[in-house]
Amino acid sequence: MPTAVAVTSPELVLPSPDRHTPPAAILQSAEPGERGGSLDRTLAEIHTLVEQHGHVLVVHPAAAPPALVHRLHAARAALETDRLALVGVDLPPLGTALLALQLRQLSICDFSPGVLASAARLLAHYLHAGAVLGSVARLDQVPVGLKAHAKSWLPGSQFAVLARPEPQLVRLSGDQDPGLKAPGFPTRLVVAEGGLPAERVTGALARAWHVREVTPTKLPAASADWWGTSKLTEFAAAIPDISVLYQLVSSVRREECHWCGLELIGDRCAFCAAPLPPPGERGRRALPATRPAPGRLRGREPAPALARTASAAAGRALPAARDPRLAPALDTGAAPPGAPQTPAGPTGGPATGVHALRPAQREAPADWGPHRPYEDPHQPPPPPRSRNPRP
């Protein structure tokens, strides 16, 4: 069963380009209105997806309402699972939908869930998202100069804006090429027409960018708020070939997360959000004994793949602590000859935490005599004995 890719709105679902691409899971509880806003429904939906697919990637816009993001994090914490990745995407709405489609295409490949979730940041760098706007007076996602802001109040003014990967703003005049920086690779262009006609994007821009295919779609409702105007035509261009996407992701070096044990690419795990350790400390893992096994749900055993990962991690030596006082407690290897013995814990094994900081009991030296009896401080001391015996 491939890793499930879920979205927070049906407007973030683009049609599958082939019959092999799995559909996206839509979180109904994340929609605004009477049907949404319930933590119980979010818990039930995510729990069902995790039970069916093993791992779930929830793709949501970075500009989503804070209540929605908090509810997703609360659901992840309540389920006590590391098999849910919350992927926040800092792209326009149409670009977010196109990125979710690429993740759906790669989910049927042999990538592990950690690599697939980490690939979202990599694929976002190769995605070009922009729009043709009738006004930039309320645009705050791209830097707008004072001259362009003043000209946006003129009747009939139009601007071509590129938000990702590099911000660019050009004032349009006539039917010539907008002059936006083109991708250096073949792309598929997805166009969503709003209050402005899409001929400028499907004509001059598509010819200048050497687009292979133009796909029209419906404009997401969140596009007007993101771009600051309802008179727009949004577009997004990305790599269309799944074989090229596979080579792009597989060419990146993979690392193992030192916290949850999943594979990742980049500098941060998308499932547990743990950063990649420095190069000198990679290859070490230190999982606390009180932490549940990776991928464990409440009342459910971990998946076989994660169980093997946890068992392999159990046989590894824990790294030495930075605090020298805690070094004997965290070092599971044999103590060198002549070293003091590690104090025993309450269960009989090596002491950890507070027990490791307690001083170990020392044996009395051989020259110590018997313990003196208890002396009352209010009683006078006994008379001293004479060393010379009586005749």
Side-chain angles (χ1 to χ4, degrees), residues 148-175:
H149 187 276
K151 289 185 177 181
S152 64
W153 295 96
L154 298 177
S157 298
Q158 292 186 6
F159 300 85
V161 182
L162 188 65
R164 303 291 184 272
E166 296 180 4
Q168 188 179 1
L169 190 148
V170 178
R171 186 173 183 271
L172 300 177
S173 59
D175 298 333

Side-chain angles (χ1 to χ4, degrees), residues 363-385:
E363 297 181 359
D367 56 347
W368 281 18
H371 294 282
R372 300 180 61 184
Y374 176 78
E375 298 179 357
D376 190 353
H378 300 285
Q379 296 294 335
R385 289 187 178 182

Side-chain angles (χ1 to χ4, degrees), residues 32-128:
E34 298 180 358
R35 296 185 301 171
S38 174
L39 179 59
D40 295 337
R41 294 195 58 186
T42 304
L43 285 171
E45 289 181 331
I46 294 179
H47 180 73
T48 303
L49 290 175
V50 172
E51 291 284 337
Q52 294 177 352
H53 298 269
H55 291 81
V56 180
L57 275 64
V58 178
V59 180
H60 65 87
L68 170 61
V69 180
H70 294 165
R71 188 162 66 250
L72 293 176
H73 283 275
R76 184 183 185 276
L79 292 176
E80 297 181 356
T81 178
D82 284 342
R83 293 186 285 169
L84 173 64
L86 304 178
V87 182
V89 181
D90 189 15
L91 289 172
L94 190 60
T96 303
L98 189 55
L99 179 62
L101 175 60
Q102 290 183 328
L103 294 176
R104 290 160 49 194
Q105 291 178 293
L106 293 176
S107 64
I108 61 176
C109 301
D110 57 352
F111 293 126
S112 62
V115 173
L116 180 63
S118 304
R121 296 176 58 189
L122 174 65
L123 299 178
H125 290 287
Y126 294 89
L127 197 146
H128 289 62

Side-chain angles (χ1 to χ4, degrees), residues 288-290 318 325-332 342-358:
T290 58
L318 297 177
R325 301 176 302 172
L326 299 179
L330 295 180
D331 190 6
T332 58
T342 304
T347 59
T352 57
V354 179
H355 302 284
L357 299 180
R358 295 177 179 175

Side-chain angles (χ1 to χ4, degrees), residues 73 76 81-82 84-86 114-115 117-118 121 255-278 281-282 284-288 291 294:
H73 283 275
R76 184 183 185 276
T81 178
D82 284 342
L84 173 64
L86 304 178
V115 173
S118 304
R121 296 176 58 189
E255 301 286 349
E256 183 180 359
C257 179
H258 70 285
W259 180 257
C260 65
L262 294 178
E263 288 185 325
L264 61 93
I265 58 176
D267 59 352
R268 184 176 295 274
C269 180
F271 279 88
C272 65
L276 192 66
E281 300 181 4
R282 295 178 186 178
R284 304 177 181 178
R285 291 183 61 193
L287 297 179
R291 189 173 184 272

